[in-house]
Amino acid sequence: MSRTTNPLPRLAAFVVAFCAASGAPGEETIDEIVVTADFREREAAELPPSISVLDTATIRKSAVQHFEELIHLVPNLNWSGDGHRARYLQIRGVGELEQYEGAPNPSVGFLIDDIDFSGIATIATLFDLQQVDVLRGPQGTRYGANALAGLVYVRSAEPGPDVPGRLQVTAGGDGALAGGLAFGGALAGSELAYRIAAHHYESDGFRDNPYLDRDDTNGRRETMLRAKLAWQPGDWQLGLTTVFADVDDGYDAFAIDNSLTVLSDRPGRDAQSSIAAALRAEWSGSERFRVTSITTAADSDIDFSFDADWGNDESWAPFTYDFVSLNERSRRTLSQEFRLVSGPGGRLFDDRAAWLVGVYFMELDDGLVTINRGDYLDPFSGFEFAVDDLLASGFEARTAAVFGELDVDVGEAGLLTVGLRAERRASDYADSSDLALSPSETMLGGELRYRHDVSERLSVFAGLSRGYKAGGFNLGQVLAGRREFGAEALWNLELGLRSAWLADRLTWNAALFYNRRPDQQVRTSFQLDPGDPASFVFFTDNAAKGESLGLESELRYDAGERWAWYLNLGLLSAEFDEFVTPEVDLGGREQAHAPGYSLAAGVEWRHPSGLFVRADAVARDSFYFDVSHDRQSQAYELLNARVGFDAESWRLQLWARNLFDRRYAVRGFFFGNEPPDFPDTLYIRQGD
């Protein structure tokens, strides 16, 4: 099944409109960016072009509060709005759409200051961040099973005597109000530096509920506290990060008429409270090698609930139709990583090769209690039923991995990289329905990559990598033969280039990729009882073989003191080669949440006095909402704008997001939710 409209004319018009906004060349240069998610924390110019780096300036000028506002800037990065905040991510069409139950098994890794929040990135607020790295493609050597599709690495501002403090106050429409404070420095006469940051944000949340006479049932209450220490005694470099995050967002996002006016009588909640810490220790007392230790621990409590019928007694009268779903999750993680990295005196093969070896351990404890309750009565036929289901489950997993990487100089201009990772995961699961499972498996991933420096300004890349994702099992009531599913692998072939011209004012990075997934895991759902909106069966199966082909391009031009512009483009064709289950055959169809193009373009004008004007526009092609039906979103374009004044130590700006109030979808379901006939209908969650 293919799209019926041709998106190329509107896409071309969009590109031309923003490329025409560039100005004359100037002399301002771009600072070199270090990719913190890499093993060796190398400069971006030394790494494949499939890495996007969002620095402090980009974050502050392009977003207001949460990581989800940055997603549109990254080529071929998308998200599923199943939950209040973006935590289900897709990179190049690979990733989860939701997870209400079962063992945590994400395809996109998400780390905040080395702490693993994969699949639970609700707490990814943006105040006092230093950088966000997005690594596209399988990270089979660096991160293993949680990064089949790629990785997002968020790094907060580091302590230091020269890092300025911050005081921020924000106010906006829809009741938005926020305040943040960050400060730090070095203790007198000491090599110990510290930084403390605190931020609170709240808003009403872009929905009105006239039944409850409230405008905040989908509201936001998000608090973050962070403390960091940095100490450099002798040959040691120590860093300690502690984080407390409390996100208490409402979840009242769906309306029967697909509008922003909701009618629920029991609004839901999407809340996460996390306490976490990371200790990074590096020893560099030898010329032959250095040692890095990373220890992390995190404790998260997550509440996710929603009004499953989306209505109230009045809206469904004369029928009695009242359902609710409640999910309470607790997740505890403890991890340890050791790396041994070659130093200048430890290189191999006549000083031509740098090496790295390491081990990784992780313990995960995930508990979930799910309650589904509801009543239905048809006064005309007399048909009635009630639901009161509870499922309590516990999942424990122990992961051990060994990895290595070798960088070999090839001549004067080439670098060959070989990486390998072997990972063993053993787990135990038990629930209140007397299901007990103890699966375990060994997985293998790695990469072979070559970079050639054509000149000081141009490098080309080629690489082959293999990522992996663990198998697992489906919970509760599942269809026959669908209890367990196997591991999955993703093969990725990539070609690309990095270039910098005009004294680094003009940069262009591009990557062409091809992915192959021979045993693709697909999570789908079916409604067992048409009258029970909580009776969806979600299950995963190795039902497909998939492939994707695409292009990613990032172009930036800093044209002197007054003008700067950028253009980021992602093209993607992600299809099922085969998809056959007893319920559906989707062979040849495009995969879910994999838009054919993603585009971000922006222009900024600056005056020497400090006045600036900035416009950012983003566009997304249409995409299929799910694999259980064939309904699609509509393509859309959004415009964000800012005008303000920059002084030496302060900034005042007026911002507008989605300036033209464009309606756009971030999630869609196709099922029956309206009595008495419950016809299958497309229900859309609108974006902000």
Side-chain angles (χ1 to χ4, degrees):
M1 186 176 297
S2 61
R3 296 185 176 93
T4 58
T5 59
N6 184 359
L8 293 181
R10 70 193 281 161
L11 178 61
F14 185 85
V15 173
V16 170
F18 273 86
C19 287
S22 64
E27 298 181 356
E28 185 174 344
T29 60
I30 301 171
D31 294 335
E32 194 62 60
I33 295 175
V34 175
V35 176
T36 55
D38 180 62
F39 271 135
R40 307 173 193 271
E41 297 196 1
R42 289 173 284 195
E43 295 179 351
E46 300 178 15
L47 296 170
S50 52
I51 297 175
S52 293
V53 181
L54 308 176
D55 60 13
T56 303
T58 301
I59 295 170
R60 294 183 184 179
K61 293 180 179 180
S62 304
V64 177
Q65 168 62 8
H66 197 273
F67 168 77
E68 71 182 37
E69 300 164 32
L70 298 172
I71 289 176
H72 284 110
L73 300 181
V74 181
N76 287 330
L77 176 62
N78 203 28
W79 68 288
S80 161
D82 207 280
H84 187 107
R85 285 298 197 183
R87 60 175 177 266
Y88 304 115
L89 306 177
Q90 302 86 45
I91 296 179
R92 297 175 173 175
V94 181
E96 282 63 53
L97 305 181
E98 76 282 303
Q99 184 186 11
Y100 296 120
E101 57 186 22
N105 198 20
S107 297
V108 178
F110 203 103
L111 273 68
I112 303 176
D113 286 329
D114 290 322
I115 306 167
D116 194 339
F117 288 103
S118 301
I120 55 172
T122 302
I123 63 170
T125 56
L126 300 179
F127 180 72
D128 204 40
L129 292 190
Q130 175 175 308
Q131 191 168 301
V132 176
D133 301 332
V134 180
L135 286 65
R136 295 181 294 270
Q139 306 300 311
T141 303
R142 178 65 182 88
Y143 291 101
N146 281 358
L148 178 78
L151 174 89
V152 178
Y153 186 97
V154 177
R155 185 171 183 175
S156 60
E158 292 294 328
D162 300 323
V163 181
R166 293 189 63 200
L167 173 63
Q168 177 180 296
V169 177
T170 304
D174 204 54
L177 185 64
L181 174 66
F183 61 92
L187 299 180
S190 171
E191 296 176 334
L192 180 65
Y194 70 96
R195 188 167 185 86
I196 298 173
H199 187 264
H200 177 76
Y201 174 90
E202 58 183 58
S203 76
D204 293 336
F206 301 99
R207 298 293 190 279
D208 290 314
N209 188 324
Y211 177 75
L212 297 178
D213 193 24
R214 291 173 56 186
D215 60 3
D216 63 348
T217 56
N218 201 55
R220 294 167 176 166
R221 304 292 184 271
E222 302 173 344
T223 302
M224 182 279 301
L225 300 172
R226 182 188 298 114
K228 304 187 76 170
L229 294 174
W231 188 30
Q232 299 185 27
D235 296 326
W236 287 91
Q237 183 173 338
L238 305 175
L240 174 65
T241 301
T242 58
V243 177
F244 169 73
D246 184 45
V247 173
D248 190 3
D249 293 341
Y251 189 53
D252 195 15
F254 284 89
I256 292 295
D257 61 357
N258 290 329
S259 70
L260 296 177
T261 300
V262 294
L263 298 174
S264 57
D265 55 359
R266 291 197 269 182
R269 184 170 179 244
D270 191 0
Q272 179 176 334
S273 177
S274 295
I275 300 175
L279 175 63
R280 176 186 281 253
E282 296 186 8
W283 180 78
S284 55
S286 171
E287 282 290 316
R288 299 181 60 83
F289 61 86
R290 76 174 189 269
V291 181
T292 300
S293 169
I294 303 174
T295 308
T296 74
D299 188 334
S300 299
D301 292 316
I302 303 163
D303 290 342
F304 179 65
S305 62
F306 55 93
D307 188 328
D309 62 90
W310 303 342
N312 56 72
D313 292 343
E314 294 179 5
S315 60
W316 299 127
F319 302 93
T320 298
Y321 182 41
D322 187 17
F323 288 80
V324 66
S325 181
L326 310 169
N327 300 268
E328 296 183 0
R329 182 183 297 274
S330 63
R331 182 175 298 180
R332 315 286 182 262
T333 59
L334 179 65
S335 71
Q336 176 63 59
E337 181 173 318
F338 294 107
R339 301 180 205 156
L340 195 63
V341 184
S342 62
R347 292 169 61 89
L348 304 176
F349 309 137
D350 296 326
D351 201 35
R352 292 174 45 235
W355 52 268
L356 176 149
V357 294
V359 293
Y360 174 81
F361 306 94
M362 183 175 184
E363 290 188 359
L364 180 147
D365 186 348
D366 189 278
L368 175 65
V369 176
T370 297
I371 300 173
N372 292 309
R373 291 175 178 153
D375 296 288
Y376 179 75
L377 171 63
D378 184 338
F380 302 105
S381 67
F383 176 74
E384 64 179 316
F385 69 91
V387 174
D388 191 358
D389 294 333
L390 182 149
L391 180 68
S393 63
F395 176 79
E396 297 178 358
R398 298 160 299 282
T399 300
V402 57
F403 55 86
E405 188 175 80
L406 189 66
D407 288 339
V408 182
D409 293 334
V410 180
E412 297 295 326
L415 181 69
L416 177 67
T417 298
V418 181
L420 190 66
R421 185 184 185 102
E423 184 169 329
R424 175 72 175 175
R425 188 173 84 164
S427 57
D428 295 294
Y429 173 85
D431 65 28
S432 56
S433 66
D434 296 326
L435 176 65
L437 299 168
S438 298
S440 62
E441 55 193 325
T442 300
M443 297 161 284
L444 189 67
E447 64 180 335
L448 179 66
R449 187 172 72 237
Y450 179 72
R451 184 190 88 221
H452 187 80
D453 297 329
V454 178
S455 67
E456 292 183 358
R457 301 183 179 277
L458 175 64
S459 297
V460 294
F461 296 80
L464 175 67
S465 58
R466 184 185 191 272
Y468 54 86
K469 183 179 179 182
F473 45 86
N474 297 301
L475 307 182
Q477 186 178 5
V478 298
L479 303 179
R482 305 291 180 84
R483 177 64 69 193
E484 297 185 15
F485 54 91
E488 162 182 11
L490 187 153
W491 289 92
N492 176 63
L493 180 63
E494 203 164 283
L495 302 172
L497 64 86
R498 283 189 176 274
S499 62
W501 312 94
L502 303 178
D504 290 341
R505 295 194 309 271
L506 175 65
T507 60
W508 180 41
N509 306 321
L512 179 68
F513 65 89
Y514 172 75
N515 286 339
R516 183 72 180 172
R517 303 169 69 184
D519 296 298
Q520 183 173 342
Q521 297 175 11
V522 179
R523 184 169 173 83
T524 187
S525 63
F526 292 93
Q527 189 175 5
L528 297 177
D529 190 331
D532 179 2
S535 69
F536 271 94
V537 173
F538 292 90
F539 63 91
T540 301
D541 200 1
N542 299 97
K545 294 181 179 179
E547 66 177 8
S548 59
L549 176 68
L551 170 72
E552 290 142 2
S553 172
E554 295 179 315
L555 182 65
R556 176 177 173 177
Y557 183 37
D558 221 332
E561 295 182 356
R562 292 182 181 266
W563 289 95
W565 60 264
Y566 72 91
L567 178 64
N568 298 339
L569 172 66
L571 300 177
L572 177 64
S573 174
E575 295 184 347
F576 294 111
D577 279 356
E578 300 177 10
F579 188 118
V580 179
T581 72
E583 297 81 21
V584 65
D585 182 357
L586 298 182
R589 205 205 78 171
E590 294 171 347
Q591 300 186 30
H593 277 257
Y597 65 80
S598 55
L599 184 66
V603 59
E604 182 175 339
W605 174 82
R606 304 179 294 259
H607 189 270
S609 66
L611 181 67
F612 69 91
V613 179
R614 180 184 176 97
D616 296 90
V618 298
R620 282 288 190 274
D621 194 12
S622 60
F623 54 84
Y624 286 95
F625 286 119
D626 217 318
V627 297
S628 58
H629 58 81
D630 61 359
R631 298 307 192 267
Q632 300 182 57
S633 71
Q634 297 293 322
Y636 64 86
E637 301 85 32
L638 309 177
L639 179 65
N640 306 321
R642 294 179 186 239
V643 58
F645 186 83
D646 259 332
E648 182 177 351
S649 59
W650 58 270
R651 168 185 291 172
L652 178 67
Q653 58 181 336
L654 176 68
W655 52 264
R657 296 187 59 80
N658 192 5
L659 186 61
F660 296 119
D661 199 22
R662 180 68 190 271
R663 297 295 175 92
Y664 63 103
V666 296
R667 189 71 173 113
F669 292 102
F670 184 68
F671 72 112
N673 197 37
E674 298 176 58
D677 298 325
F678 295 95
D680 286 341
T681 305
L682 177 63
Y683 298 108
I684 292 174
R685 177 188 164 183
Q686 304 287 352
D688 287 351

